[in-house]
Amino acid sequence: MGDIFLAGRTALVTGSTSGIGLAIAEALGAAGARVAVNGLGDEAQIAAAVAAVHAAGAPQVRHFGADLADAGAVEQMMQALAAWSPADIVVNCAGVQHAAPIADMPAATWDRLIAINLSAAFHTMRLALPGMAARGYGRVVNIASVHGLVASINKSPYVASKFGLIGLSKVAGLEYASAGSRDSGGVTVNCVCPGWVETALIEPQITAKAQDVGGNRDAGVRELLREKQPSQRMSLPAEIADLVVWLCRKQSHNLTGAAIPVDGGWTAQ
């Protein structure tokens, strides 16, 4: 049996029906947490995600559906979660992207990206943090991005939302820094800022680059990362999840308000 240090804890992971979010939900479940899964997908995909988190070791798993672009739906989800089991850990991983120059960015797209990538995290935090403080233990881990630390062209709402998420996390980290104790674990709020992560969503980009360099997938990855990520290696979703799990340990009680890059040296340049 592994280290189930989160036994008796409850974790909400948004955007956890696939990719990084699912890996985080599985890792928290493996550490003993009951897990609230939230994310898009048809019935089969949602059922598969719930089953995967169960199989990883979570004693209880439940899917909480909510359109994160709708503040009222987020509040209803948090109320339903509190009735099931109040969240000790909130991981805001859900995110959407749309690339276009500022002049061509549809206003509705801007509003939707800000709502999902930033405002939804504000709502989960404002509703979960007071209970965490009252219990003396709580963890909010916001999955930001390297684009919360540096910008790229044609990504105005995404970059703005991720910079905003880091700022929001710093404010919340300060407001709750004195809650709890070393023994209880305290309440911390941090951001993880991944660079390139190997998920199904970017596999077509890898394939296209591989075709440009003779069909070798590893060479295609290096070519894709060459301009931005000096390591020329992608992170795996499970590696991001391992960092999130460590941030949930009591030993991390004094790490708060941080934006931790996992970007192969991208932001060190």
Side-chain angles (χ1 to χ4, degrees), residues 144-238:
S145 169
V146 66
H147 283 117
L149 300 169
V150 294
S152 292
I153 62 169
N154 298 334
K155 296 182 179 181
S156 55
Y158 188 79
V159 170
S161 68
K162 296 302 186 178
F163 267 74
L165 188 58
I166 290 174
L168 171 64
S169 301
K170 288 180 179 293
V171 172
L174 290 172
E175 290 184 359
Y176 285 89
S178 64
S181 65
R182 181 185 292 110
D183 289 339
S184 70
V187 177
T188 69
V189 183
N190 292 291
C191 286
V192 174
C193 302
W196 286 95
V197 180
E198 194 166 326
T199 66
L201 290 176
I202 64 167
E203 192 62 34
Q205 297 178 64
I206 297 173
T207 300
K209 287 294 184 182
Q211 291 172 349
D212 292 342
V213 291
N216 183 286
R217 187 179 186 280
D218 289 341
V221 169
R222 290 193 295 272
E223 181 63 21
L224 185 62
L225 273 57
R226 178 175 56 82
E227 181 183 354
K228 295 288 182 79
Q229 192 149 311
S231 69
Q232 296 189 12
R233 299 187 304 274
M234 293 191 186
S235 298
L236 297 175

Side-chain angles (χ1 to χ4, degrees), residues 41-59:
D42 57 24
E43 288 185 12
Q45 182 177 359
I46 291 169
V50 169
V53 179
H54 259 309

Side-chain angles (χ1 to χ4, degrees), residues 70-88:
D70 180 346
V74 176
E75 185 153 357
Q76 289 174 5
M77 176 182 71
M78 297 302 291
Q79 290 171 348
L81 174 60
W84 181 59
S85 184
D88 302 293

